[in-house]
Amino acid sequence: MKIAKVAVIGCGAIASNEHIPAYYKNPMAEIKYLVDMVPQRAAELAGRYGVPYTSTDYREILRDREVDAVSICTANHTHADIAIDCLEAGKNVLCEKPAAISLESVKKMKDTADRNGKILNIGVVNRFNTSVNLVKKLISEGELGKVYHIYCSFRAHRSIPGLGGQFTSKSKSGGGVLIDWGVHFLDIIFYCIGSPKILTVSGEIYGEMGKNMSDYAFTDMWAGPPDYTGTYDVEDFVTGLVRTSGPSISLNGAWAQNIGEQAKYIEFMGDKAGIKLQYGKSFTIYHSRNGALYETIPSFKSTDMYYDEIDDFLKSSIEGRKSRTNIDNVMITSEVMEAIYKSAEIKREVILPTEPS
């Protein structure tokens, strides 16, 4: 069995909780480097997992020909530059979501991967979620009939992350709740229905709840505490309508709202049956038979989607094949998010070109 030498760039929560443990458990991987701007953070994890080298500069790994594969777990605005440098150096790359903060940067990443013949996967981990894959299978087998509309909600009461920090600074994050949470929901939808042709996109965004930072009361703040001297120039609410060659898609998302509930789900509406998928959980099938209405909640054993994501990336890197999370298969989400932001800016519907410009 071929063993891939791996570097993990960025040792924050997603790396320490998911990427590093998954590589450590996988017989196809050997972690050679941990890279982080905070030396002690990388050193502590290196000691825990027996990693021989740490660095504060990812460029050190570019010169090491032994390194086959790289996980990028850094801030959004750094994804494109680091990924392009790694791909140019002949490394296969798994980059956390979102791929980058602009569609232009995503396209440059893809072009670099293609030119160098390397794998570029994006961390849309829900493509390895057991519930999501069961829903995809039911749709592809025609259990829902014609799927004509999909609605998704990703709303929380008051949960703006790290107020005043990198999550709420557009230059670092690329946006707010849409690019942070919406990327997962849109990706699940396109994965399940097979990435139809996008026709038009209409959207609106609001950054109302966090604009007076010192007055913002909250129930939860991951990536906190708040920095009241920082920046808040992103959206905390988004709404949108996407017309495709297949079903239409509507969405509402909120990091924060003056409605005291959390609603994170996707509804697939078909003419034979419908499915309501609770994000990160199970789903309910609504259907009828012989004049009676039924609700079915399936029971199944779920796998570890983060381990499966890393395992798939390693196999893709070793075999040189493009898999379900390859940039080619997930770019549609970046295209739609950028169109939603553009529609909100120009205050009208955006018509997507039928051919690449």
Side-chain angles (χ1 to χ4, degrees):
M1 178 187 298
K2 183 175 179 181
I3 305 297
K5 297 289 183 71
V6 176
V8 178
I9 302 174
C11 294
I14 192 66
S16 60
N17 294 336
E18 307 297 350
H19 286 244
I20 296 170
Y23 283 123
Y24 181 75
K25 295 174 187 174
N26 198 296
M28 291 185 293
E30 178 185 324
I31 308 174
K32 186 172 182 179
Y33 290 91
L34 295 180
V35 180
D36 198 273
M37 294 177 64
V38 181
Q40 58 268 33
R41 187 157 57 187
E44 190 277 326
L45 287 166
R48 188 189 311 173
Y49 292 100
V51 178
Y53 301 105
T54 64
S55 178
T56 57
D57 186 354
Y58 77 90
R59 294 172 185 85
E60 184 176 338
I61 71 167
L62 302 179
R63 298 184 290 271
D64 190 332
R65 294 185 179 181
E66 278 197 335
V67 175
D68 304 294
V70 176
S71 267
I72 299 174
C73 304
T74 55
N76 293 358
H77 70 291
T78 68
H79 287 182
D81 287 345
I82 297 175
I84 288 169
D85 285 348
C86 289
L87 292 163
E88 293 282 20
K91 318 301 183 188
N92 297 297
V93 172
L94 169 58
C95 180
E96 263 302 328
K97 66 83 188 171
I101 63 173
S102 73
L103 181 59
E104 179 183 8
S105 293
V106 175
K107 289 178 177 178
K108 287 179 181 178
M109 292 164 68
K110 171 184 160 46
D111 290 345
T112 306
D114 289 345
R115 189 175 67 255
N116 287 279
K118 307 311 292 185
I119 296 298
L120 172 58
N121 286 3
I122 306 302
V124 282
V125 70
N126 287 287
R127 291 188 177 217
F128 299 95
N129 179 280
T130 305
S131 287
V132 170
N133 279 288
L134 286 171
V135 170
K136 177 179 174 62
K137 192 170 189 293
L138 289 167
I139 292 172
S140 66
E141 291 177 347
E143 294 296 321
L144 275 62
K146 177 185 177 181
V147 178
Y148 55 89
H149 184 72
I150 301 164
Y151 171 71
C152 70
S153 171
F154 43 99
R155 298 180 293 118
H157 183 199
R158 285 174 175 252
S159 298
I160 297 173
L163 188 69
Q166 68 179 30
F167 280 96
T168 66
S169 174
K170 188 174 181 180
S171 64
K172 295 180 178 180
S173 63
V177 67
L178 175 61
I179 203 168
D180 185 37
W181 289 356
V183 61
H184 279 308
F185 287 78
L186 286 170
D187 184 74
I188 290 171
I189 291 169
F190 293 131
Y191 176 57
C192 286
I193 65 175
S195 298
K197 179 180 175 182
I198 306 301
L199 303 177
T200 66
V201 176
S202 185
E204 189 56 271
I205 60 173
Y206 299 91
E208 302 296 328
M209 299 296 291
K211 62 183 180 183
N212 299 316
M213 288 194 288
S214 60
D215 294 332
Y216 174 71
F218 55 91
T219 57
D220 178 47
M221 189 174 291
W222 49 281
D227 176 7
Y228 298 120
T229 66
T231 301
Y232 190 86
D233 62 355
V234 298
E235 82 282 356
D236 45 55
F237 180 87
V238 60
T239 188
L241 174 65
V242 182
R243 290 185 174 89
T244 82
S245 59
S248 54
I249 302 164
S250 58
L251 60 97
N252 287 295
W255 269 343
Q257 58 183 3
N258 281 321
I259 303 294
E261 64 182 35
Q262 178 169 285
K264 294 182 179 180
Y265 58 84
I266 303 172
E267 295 174 338
F268 298 87
M269 302 177 190
D271 60 0
K272 286 175 59 178
I275 288 178
K276 185 166 187 173
L277 171 67
Q278 299 290 345
Y279 184 76
K281 300 177 182 178
S282 188
F283 59 92
T284 302
I285 307 170
Y286 298 89
H287 52 110
S288 63
R289 184 177 180 184
N290 298 328
L293 300 176
Y294 295 86
E295 297 180 17
T296 302
I297 302 176
S299 178
F300 50 88
K301 183 178 181 180
S302 294
T303 62
D304 181 340
M305 63 182 183
Y306 282 100
Y307 181 88
D308 291 346
E309 175 189 43
I310 295 298
D311 188 70
D312 177 78
F313 171 56
L314 290 167
K315 289 175 181 174
S316 296
S317 298
I318 292 168
E319 298 168 10
R321 62 168 176 83
K322 295 181 178 182
S323 71
R324 72 187 79 172
T325 58
N326 187 270
I327 188 66
D328 290 2
N329 299 319
V330 305
M331 189 181 293
I332 186 173
T333 297
S334 295
E335 293 170 344
V336 169
M337 289 193 301
E338 182 141 309
I340 289 173
Y341 284 129
K342 181 65 176 178
S343 174
E345 177 188 351
I346 65 175
K347 302 298 181 185
R348 64 177 184 271
E349 188 174 58
V350 171
I351 301 173
L352 269 67
T354 56
E355 297 293 338
S357 57

